[in-house]
Amino acid sequence: MNISDPTETFRQEARELLDLLEAGLLDLEQDPGNGDLINSAFRALHTIKGSGAMFGFTAVAEFVHEFETAFDRVRKGQSEATKALIGVALDAKDHIHRLIENPDRRITGGDVILSQLRQVVEGTPVEPVAPSPVAERTPAQKVDTTRLWRLTFFLPSDALVYGTNPLLLLDELAQIGPITVTALTDRIPDLDILDPEVPQIGWQVDIEADDPTSAIDDVFLFLRDSMELSLVPLERAPAAAIDLEEHTQLAAAPRAQEPAAVPVPPRAKAQEKAETDKPAASSLRVPAERLDELMDRVGELVIAQARLSQIAALSSDTALKTIAEELERLSSGLRDTTMGIRMVPIGSLFGRFRRLVHDLSGELGKPIDFITTGEETELDKTMIERLADPLVHLIRNSVDHGLETAERRAAAGKPAKGQVRLSAVYSGAEVAISVSDDGAGLDAARIRAKAEENRLITPETKLTDGELHQLIFAPGFSTAKEVTSLSGRGVGMDVVKRTIDGLRGTIEVSTRPGEGTTMTLRLPLTLAIIDGMLVRVGTGRYTIPLAAVEECVELPEGLEGQAKGRNFLDIRGSLVPYLRLREVFGITAPRELHQKVVIVSSGEGRVGLVVDQIIGNNQTVIKQLSKLHSDIKSFSGATILGDGSVALILDTAHLVASGQSYVDRNLNGRAA
């Protein structure tokens, strides 16, 4: 991406303005009489119009001008900001986005949206139009058909992950009429960067049929919102037929003899927004790749500085010690500054889901109150980018499976409007992100029955509630009675699990029948550099994330013969389970006479880790373990020490969970 390209600069600014416009419209739906929200939306439109005309986006400027003219009646109090108006305005916002991202494509449908917008502000009833890429034609609209049509399509990037088979789609197209199929391979990347889960091949299909638009609409029913699709008559059609295409959502190609030149849509990335609260503040846009490269360089500097400090500690040269201390101070400051640049408020991610819930509410007919808290919580930008898909799946599951219909809620004595809450809070060395609803809760019996049907467990298998709830994340697991456009294939929760595992996080499930369900994602603050406590167990050295450490105590004598490997410590009146890392790691070297216990926490749980020696604190550059070691749950990564040796980084969340499971088993044993 060339950041100095003026058109790209306009696109970036327009994306931010469109995000503000969408947020303002959604707020306006809840507070229709708020003049500040109306003026804010109007200012965003006016800025996009002026900038679009300046940078040559004529189609954008013309469409926004008409949008602005209609919306001006709301600003002047001549029309109310009704739910119907907000719905059409959101469609108009989406159309502006398409015009900006694809200035060379023929984007249709704008005239229909503007016509609906004028009718709404003038108080004329508007028939809702289904969000179909192919508009249905009434008998009055029938025109002379063309016998030969060219269909060009590229599937969404997640189509294969969700089980879409392109060959089956081609078979369905063949049922419309005789077809000639050509594979479009010009987008296939080099082998070293090819992602096998992303469809790289497009398809050009020549169809002989009398107006196949409705049939094509049925074929791509569940894919049309996010795929590239164009339909072009190859034989010249009457003028009326060509004009009619203006009212469809299929983009016609510039020339009938060539496939539509459709650019690959850019991948959705979390946009780092500059602070605008302070008028005097200025910002500089920097490509994310440069930040990643800077972080790598800082990591190497931290490793080199640690090596220098170790050499200086063994030397009697005062000047060398002084330089090492100064370099340590500078590298620490540079590390904190670089980390701060990478940290992004999670509110930039939360804002996307308001539109998602708004659309799901209308599609499913469930009134929903969507609440977000903790938007100011900061997380590494890499985490923000990779959290979008898991949160989409969790929110859709809450809305589709969790919340009941208004009738069922009324019968259960609940308010007709359901509630979905998205929150983020700091929790020690982690950030806890929760998606909760006040729906019916998880049905344990149904989950178990489905798990037995899928042979994930046997009828004799004994599971705790927590273990049973974790089964919903198994690949292909779904309790849905039928497959819909939202759910039912058992893919979504599997995606959530794999993504969170890849981020070294954990998922907790809490549910109460009839009251709702809460899914909590616990994630480390960063994936790059952390402060660590270096400890020794036997002859090996290990790093514990310092932010997870609460305190260090000495292991009392006389406990060696009790409850092999696990026991409890009395920490100021509170019982804390402890794990002997020597036994966890299978170390046979002689133990130290005076062992230490490092108390660590994760979420609400605590556990003591018994080590032979606490060496000290250091800056830890996290290196990911290879896939060969992915099954080793006690470690979250590795780091290079100053002497060039490797120290494994302990996964405190996993160790705390192990200690807590011991507590549960101990208490259950006593109860029995």
Side-chain angles (χ1 to χ4, degrees):
M1 178 181 66
N2 183 6
I3 203 69
S4 62
D5 182 2
T7 59
E8 184 60 32
T9 301
F10 165 70
R11 285 194 181 95
Q12 291 182 350
E13 294 178 349
R15 290 176 194 132
E16 295 182 3
L17 288 169
L18 289 174
D19 287 344
L20 292 174
L21 176 61
E22 180 176 281
L25 291 173
L26 293 172
D27 287 337
L28 192 59
E29 185 176 24
Q30 304 299 322
D31 187 8
N34 193 318
D36 291 338
L37 293 175
I38 296 174
N39 290 329
S40 175
F42 198 85
R43 284 194 297 269
L45 288 173
H46 196 74
T47 303
I48 293 173
K49 182 182 75 171
S51 300
M54 181 186 305
F55 288 101
F57 287 76
T58 306
V60 174
E62 292 176 352
F63 179 84
V64 176
H65 175 72
E66 298 296 330
F67 185 2
E68 187 182 46
T69 300
F71 202 77
D72 189 44
R73 292 176 59 92
V74 180
R75 188 176 66 150
K76 294 178 179 178
Q78 299 172 357
S79 180
E80 295 183 359
T82 62
K83 187 173 183 178
L85 171 64
I86 299 301
V88 179
L90 289 171
D91 290 340
K93 173 261 172 186
D94 292 340
H95 186 74
I96 297 170
H97 177 77
R98 290 191 291 269
L99 291 174
I100 292 173
E101 298 298 333
N102 305 283
D104 298 326
R105 279 183 64 186
R106 181 187 173 193
I107 307 296
T108 59
D111 291 343
V112 175
I113 294 174
L114 290 175
S115 176
Q116 292 179 339
L117 188 61
R118 295 188 194 99
Q119 293 178 49
V120 171
V121 297
E122 291 171 2
T124 305
V126 178
E127 290 294 329
V129 179
S132 167
V134 183
E136 184 177 353
R137 298 174 178 175
T138 63
Q141 293 175 311
K142 291 293 184 181
V143 295
D144 294 336
T145 57
T146 305
R147 291 289 303 171
L148 188 60
W149 301 76
R150 174 160 293 172
L151 171 69
T152 304
F153 68 90
F154 289 84
L155 295 176
S157 60
D158 59 356
L160 299 182
V161 175
Y162 288 105
T164 301
N165 188 337
L167 299 181
L168 296 180
L169 296 176
L170 294 175
D171 289 343
E172 293 186 46
L173 292 174
Q175 297 176 10
I176 301 175
I179 64 172
T180 302
V181 181
T182 304
L184 306 178
T185 59
D186 54 312
R187 295 187 185 179
I188 298 179
D190 295 335
L191 187 60
D192 57 340
I193 61 173
L194 185 141
D195 186 346
E197 294 185 348
V198 177
Q200 311 287 357
I201 299 177
W203 303 93
Q204 174 184 293
V205 184
D206 292 343
I207 306 175
E208 294 183 29
D210 295 333
D211 190 7
T213 52
S214 297
I216 291 173
D217 183 18
D218 294 337
V219 172
F220 297 102
L221 181 63
F222 298 112
L223 300 169
R224 60 197 180 195
D225 291 336
S226 54
M227 69 181 295
E228 297 180 41
L229 185 68
S230 67
L231 182 65
V232 185
L234 288 185
E235 297 174 10
R236 184 172 182 81
I242 297 176
D243 292 341
L244 189 57
E245 286 298 317
E246 291 291 334
H247 300 289
T248 70
Q249 298 296 324
L250 287 175
R255 291 182 292 176
Q257 288 75 20
E258 298 181 2
V262 185
V264 180
R267 291 186 178 182
K269 291 187 176 180
Q271 299 294 325
E272 294 187 15
K273 299 182 179 181
E275 294 183 0
T276 56
D277 295 337
K278 301 178 181 179
S282 61
S283 62
L284 176 66
R285 296 182 185 274
V286 179
E289 294 80 5
R290 293 189 181 180
L291 289 180
D292 294 337
E293 184 178 354
L294 175 62
M295 195 71 251
D296 291 339
R297 296 290 184 270
V298 171
E300 297 300 324
L301 175 63
V302 169
I303 294 174
Q305 174 268 319
R307 186 174 183 182
L308 176 61
S309 296
Q310 186 166 347
I311 294 174
L314 300 175
S315 173
S316 59
D317 190 336
T318 305
L320 179 61
K321 291 180 181 290
T322 302
I323 293 175
E325 291 174 358
E326 182 68 12
L327 183 59
E328 181 177 1
R329 181 183 66 82
L330 293 174
S331 65
S332 177
L334 180 60
R335 180 206 64 172
D336 293 341
T337 301
T338 307
M339 292 293 296
I341 294 174
R342 290 171 57 96
M343 301 300 280
V344 181
I346 204 168
S348 62
L349 178 64
F350 282 9
R352 304 181 189 180
F353 304 122
R354 297 184 62 199
R355 177 69 180 278
L356 172 67
V357 174
H358 174 274
D359 293 345
L360 290 175
S361 175
E363 182 176 349
L364 297 174
K366 297 179 179 179
I368 301 171
D369 188 12
F370 183 55
I371 301 172
T372 60
T373 57
E375 291 92 336
E376 69 284 353
T377 306
E378 292 188 337
L379 204 58
D380 190 287
K381 73 171 189 66
T382 304
M383 311 279 277
I384 294 286
E385 292 170 359
R386 296 175 63 181
L387 275 176
D389 284 347
L391 289 178
V392 166
H393 290 301
L394 291 178
I395 292 173
R396 288 171 67 151
N397 263 33
S398 290
V399 174
D400 191 21
H401 294 303
L403 296 181
E404 313 95 328
T405 61
E407 294 78 11
R408 290 186 177 181
R409 292 180 64 86
K414 295 182 179 180
K417 179 178 285 189
Q419 185 180 98
V420 174
R421 181 181 295 272
L422 179 60
S423 63
V425 294
Y426 291 113
S427 178
E430 304 168 325
V431 169
I433 303 172
S434 299
V435 178
S436 59
D437 61 70
D438 63 346
L442 297 180
D443 187 337
R446 192 171 177 183
I447 293 174
R448 185 176 186 94
K450 192 66 177 182
E452 293 177 2
E453 179 184 334
N454 292 354
R455 297 183 179 180
L456 296 175
I457 59 174
T458 64
E460 296 78 21
T461 304
K462 294 183 178 180
L463 299 175
T464 64
D465 289 343
E467 292 170 336
L468 185 64
H469 295 155
Q470 289 294 321
L471 292 177
I472 66 177
F473 299 103
F477 188 93
S478 175
T479 57
K481 296 181 180 179
E482 60 181 13
V483 176
T484 68
S485 60
L486 292 179
S487 60
R489 300 188 184 275
V491 177
M493 301 306 279
D494 178 33
V495 171
V496 174
K497 177 67 173 174
R498 287 191 290 116
T499 302
I500 300 306
D501 286 347
L503 295 173
R504 305 199 322 272
T506 59
I507 307 175
E508 299 174 0
V509 181
S510 173
T511 184
R512 290 187 177 182
E515 297 183 18
T517 301
T518 298
M519 302 278 185
T520 302
L521 312 180
R522 295 193 178 276
L523 300 161
L525 287 173
T526 179
L527 299 176
I529 301 176
I530 61 173
D531 286 321
M533 173 181 286
L534 190 63
V535 301
R536 180 176 60 82
V537 181
T539 58
R541 288 180 290 180
Y542 304 88
T543 295
I544 303 174
L546 192 59
V549 176
E550 290 190 354
E551 59 182 309
C552 301
V553 298
E554 188 164 331
L555 182 67
E557 297 182 6
L559 297 180
E560 185 64 25
Q562 301 180 21
K564 184 178 179 181
R566 297 182 178 88
N567 212 319
F568 291 93
L569 287 176
D570 185 354
I571 305 296
R572 289 181 296 279
S574 176
L575 289 180
V576 178
Y578 67 86
L579 306 176
R580 296 181 185 274
L581 293 185
R582 299 175 58 84
E583 296 178 358
V584 174
F585 301 154
I587 296 174
T588 58
R591 67 181 183 86
E592 294 291 327
L593 182 60
H594 302 288
Q595 293 183 304
K596 306 297 186 293
V597 183
V598 181
I599 308 297
V600 298
S601 63
S602 175
E604 301 298 325
R606 293 197 301 168
V607 70
L609 305 177
V610 180
V611 302
D612 289 329
Q613 180 187 4
I614 297 175
I615 299 175
N617 300 339
N618 64 348
Q619 294 183 29
T620 302
V621 180
I622 300 175
K623 303 292 185 181
Q624 296 297 318
L625 297 178
S626 70
K627 293 183 178 179
L628 296 176
H629 303 91
S630 59
D631 293 335
I632 304 177
K633 301 300 184 181
S634 297
F635 307 112
S636 60
T639 187
I640 301 175
L641 301 177
D643 59 0
S645 62
V646 174
L648 294 172
I649 302 171
L650 300 184
D651 187 340
T652 54
H654 174 76
L655 294 173
V656 169
S658 298
Q660 191 61 45
S661 66
Y662 168 67
V663 173
D664 295 340
R665 289 195 299 272
N666 189 279
L667 293 177
N668 291 336
R670 290 181 181 179

